[in-house]
Amino acid sequence: MLRKILVLGAGKSTSYLLDYFLDKSITEKLHLTIGDIHPEGIPSSVKDHPNCTVIHLDILKNDDRKKAIKNSDIVVSMLPARFHIQVAEDCVELNKNLVTASYISNEIQALDETVRKKGLIFMNEIGLDPGIDHMSAMQVIDQITEQGGKIILFESFTGGLVAPESDNNLWNYKFTWNPRNVVLAGQGGAAKFIQEGTYKYIPYHKLFRRTEFFEIEGYGKFEGYANRDSLKYREAYGLQDALTLYRGTMRRVGFSKAWNMFVQLGMTDDSYTIENSKGMSYREFTNLFLPYSPTDSVELKLRHYLKIDQDDSKWEMLSELNLFDSKKTIPLDHATPAQILQLILEDSWTLDEDDKDMIVMYHKFGYELHGKKLQIDSNMVVIGENRFHTAMARTVGLPVAIATLLILNGKIKTPGVQIPISKEVYDPILKELKNYGINFKEYEVPYLGYNPDSVGN
């Protein structure tokens, strides 16, 4: 008897997920059903597999959605996060386990008691970030606390970047994930974290000028800016007593300082629309944010406005994006500045067919053990194969697939709405991920904290 897995949504992040299920379909007795609103986009190598069925599915059609869920043994939702709640409610009603890579929403968290009572498992945040970050961090945190150690510092950074061999622009960056999320990063409130026991806040307009720097062996220097809420997982990770808690996003050095130009101009604003955006040139769009001058060019006004010297590399970075091009036009009607900026950036930052992306994750653990302060640095680097089989798809899709199979096989048993922070979950998943080139290197280094001069005093 085949076990039936339903995957809802077959977007960019699902290539490895679908391959994993199909590769194991014979040995694990699996049948995969993929429900998507655009099934024609699914590759024939997947569609034509004997253990796969592809169905056209509009997630908003309740009867069709429920029928597909009813006919499955477990549901994997790779839909945009806003649609998970309808799927989750159906899974409760129809007694099906559910796996998603998305953050737990308040609506899904509210189902926890019912999910537990029914003995169901709703595994969320089991992609890359959130996902691999949770599991890799908890593995080290648990190892330290099991020895009697006490965590005093935890920092964690993740970046979806371009691999060195495909890095051919001045920003050292290309889109490997949802471009909209990149353009809107950091908005919606001040970044919040704890440093040496003190709460710290960075407002959006200063976020990209407060960065941390670190080296990844073999890959050089990176920078990180703070995520909006570093304290979100304080309780879940058991780090209530940690003096430093900081989670951030990783970029190549220089990106944040350059990105800050867009923030200061107002180009990342998504709160209003531009009336006559359709047909506007890139140059006219840039000029919208600059003062009027009867004599000065757009270039000169922008230099003055942002105080960019002639020999400043940031000027070349702006020019490379065609921001002063009077021929290139915007096809979007009544678009927000952020939507237009996204369109302009996609022109330059979309992966070419043979481009490779790169995922970098870095954790820093400072802890006290037997009266000594110690530190472990841990990092992971994954390089993609091409534009379709990306490192992003591998690191998001594989943990989802592995967790799904572990639940089906009764290896993950604890019911409830949850994230992957228990040993029952992270041990087997991290072990299996190593078979796919996703593994962490750990280094014991001197604990410096934020006052290197005090070490040894």
Side-chain angles (χ1 to χ4, degrees):
M1 183 87 170
L2 292 175
R3 280 107 47 89
K4 292 178 277 190
I5 298 172
L6 172 66
V7 174
L8 298 171
K12 279 183 191 173
S13 60
T14 60
S15 54
Y16 285 92
L17 168 95
L18 301 175
D19 288 349
Y20 184 89
F21 287 141
L22 294 175
D23 287 348
K24 296 200 174 275
S25 61
I26 294 169
T27 55
E28 292 284 348
K29 297 185 170 60
L30 305 175
H31 185 85
L32 179 64
T33 299
I34 304 166
D36 195 88
I37 197 157
H38 296 296
E40 64 280 359
I42 297 169
S44 53
S45 59
V46 172
K47 267 193 240 187
D48 300 340
H49 194 285
N51 291 330
C52 181
T53 304
V54 173
I55 58 172
H56 176 272
L57 184 64
D58 180 346
I59 209 67
L60 298 176
K61 292 189 174 169
N62 294 346
D63 291 346
D64 294 352
R65 187 185 68 240
K66 283 189 176 182
K67 183 183 173 188
I69 291 171
K70 189 177 182 180
N71 289 337
S72 67
D73 294 308
I74 190 166
V75 178
V76 177
S77 180
M78 299 300 283
L79 298 164
R82 65 185 181 277
F83 296 123
H84 290 329
I85 187 60
Q86 287 112 312
V87 176
E89 286 169 348
D90 291 346
C91 287
V92 168
E93 184 189 328
L94 298 165
N95 292 308
K96 307 294 180 184
N97 293 320
L98 173 66
V99 183
T100 87
S102 302
Y103 288 105
I104 295 179
S105 65
N106 293 335
E107 295 92 337
I108 287 182
Q109 187 59 53
L111 301 173
D112 181 49
E113 194 180 336
T114 315
V115 169
R116 282 176 196 273
K117 278 181 183 166
K118 289 193 160 210
L120 297 172
I121 298 166
F122 279 19
M123 183 65 69
N124 304 269
E125 304 191 15
I126 184 77
L128 168 67
D129 178 356
I132 291 175
D133 58 336
H134 292 327
M135 296 186 285
S136 53
M138 283 310 300
Q139 188 173 55
V140 176
I141 289 167
D142 284 349
Q143 284 165 3
I144 290 168
T145 52
E146 281 162 16
Q147 293 173 50
K150 178 188 168 191
I151 303 283
I152 51 175
L153 175 149
F154 174 64
E155 294 190 3
S156 177
F157 299 87
T158 306
L161 300 157
V162 61
E165 57 262 51
S166 303
D167 185 349
N168 56 9
N169 68 47
L170 294 173
W171 293 75
N172 309 120
Y173 185 79
K174 292 183 183 180
F175 289 127
T176 59
W177 198 232
N178 187 343
R180 181 168 166 79
N181 291 354
V182 176
V183 173
L184 300 183
Q187 297 186 39
K192 177 171 68 171
F193 55 98
I194 298 178
Q195 227 162 12
E196 294 290 284
T198 303
Y199 283 88
K200 296 283 187 182
Y201 300 87
I202 307 176
Y204 175 64
H205 73 283
K206 291 289 186 186
L207 183 64
F208 298 96
R209 297 306 297 118
R210 293 263 295 274
T211 48
E212 294 224 353
F213 299 94
F214 25 80
E215 290 267 347
I216 304 290
E217 192 182 336
Y219 293 91
K221 203 171 180 186
F222 295 83
E223 65 185 19
Y225 62 84
N227 287 355
R228 209 162 68 216
D229 186 3
S230 290
L231 309 184
K232 186 177 178 184
Y233 298 105
R234 198 178 182 183
E235 306 282 326
Y237 285 18
L239 297 178
Q240 294 90 330
D241 298 327
L243 298 175
T244 297
L245 256 181
Y246 187 108
R247 287 167 58 90
T249 298
M250 196 184 287
R251 294 285 182 259
R252 283 291 188 184
V253 174
F255 179 93
S256 300
K257 189 176 184 181
W259 184 264
N260 189 54
M261 295 189 289
F262 296 140
V263 176
Q264 300 312 318
L265 284 167
M267 286 184 177
T268 61
D269 198 322
D270 201 45
S271 65
Y272 67 93
T273 58
I274 293 166
E275 299 300 317
N276 57 338
S277 62
K278 191 168 187 179
M280 181 182 283
S281 72
Y282 287 12
R283 185 180 183 83
E284 286 168 330
F285 171 68
T286 302
N287 194 35
L288 291 180
F289 304 95
L290 300 169
Y292 172 76
S293 166
T295 54
D296 291 349
S297 67
V298 176
E299 288 88 344
L300 195 58
K301 288 193 295 182
L302 191 128
R303 274 191 197 280
H304 284 315
Y305 191 73
L306 293 175
K307 298 182 174 63
I308 301 175
D309 293 326
Q310 278 187 312
D311 59 353
D312 192 326
S313 61
K314 295 200 300 297
W315 180 252
E316 297 299 321
M317 293 168 84
L318 287 176
S319 301
E320 184 182 72
L321 299 172
N322 302 309
L323 284 169
F324 307 109
D325 195 314
S326 56
K327 304 264 190 324
K328 283 180 176 280
T329 56
I330 296 151
L332 308 173
D333 202 11
H334 285 83
T336 67
Q339 287 170 332
I340 295 170
L341 178 61
Q342 179 185 328
L343 175 93
I344 291 170
L345 295 177
E346 283 183 277
D347 249 8
S348 297
W349 291 356
T350 297
L351 290 172
D352 290 330
E353 201 146 319
D354 294 324
D355 272 350
K356 296 178 180 183
D357 69 326
M358 173 171 74
I359 299 296
V360 186
M361 190 176 284
Y362 171 83
H363 301 308
K364 188 194 288 188
F365 307 89
Y367 62 103
E368 287 178 351
L369 181 64
H370 309 316
K372 283 186 178 174
K373 287 183 177 173
L374 304 163
Q375 186 172 313
I376 293 171
D377 285 3
S378 170
N379 66 56
M380 172 196 86
V381 178
V382 179
I383 306 283
E385 295 174 52
N386 52 45
R387 182 178 166 183
F388 303 101
H389 279 78
T390 59
M392 184 67 82
R394 195 187 330 171
T395 50
V396 171
L398 282 176
V400 173
I402 295 164
T404 303
L405 202 50
L406 288 166
I407 293 167
L408 260 185
N409 289 337
K411 300 279 173 62
I412 294 175
K413 299 184 178 75
T414 308
V417 173
Q418 58 192 282
I419 64 174
I421 54 172
S422 69
K423 197 173 281 193
E424 170 190 65
V425 178
Y426 69 65
D427 259 0
I429 295 178
L430 290 174
K431 189 177 175 186
E432 174 79 341
L433 284 173
K434 283 183 181 177
N435 298 328
Y436 293 86
I438 301 172
N439 59 308
F440 283 79
K441 292 180 178 176
E442 290 179 13
Y443 307 88
E444 290 187 8
V445 298
Y447 176 80
L448 297 179
Y450 288 90
N451 187 5
D453 294 339
S454 70
V455 174
N457 291 353

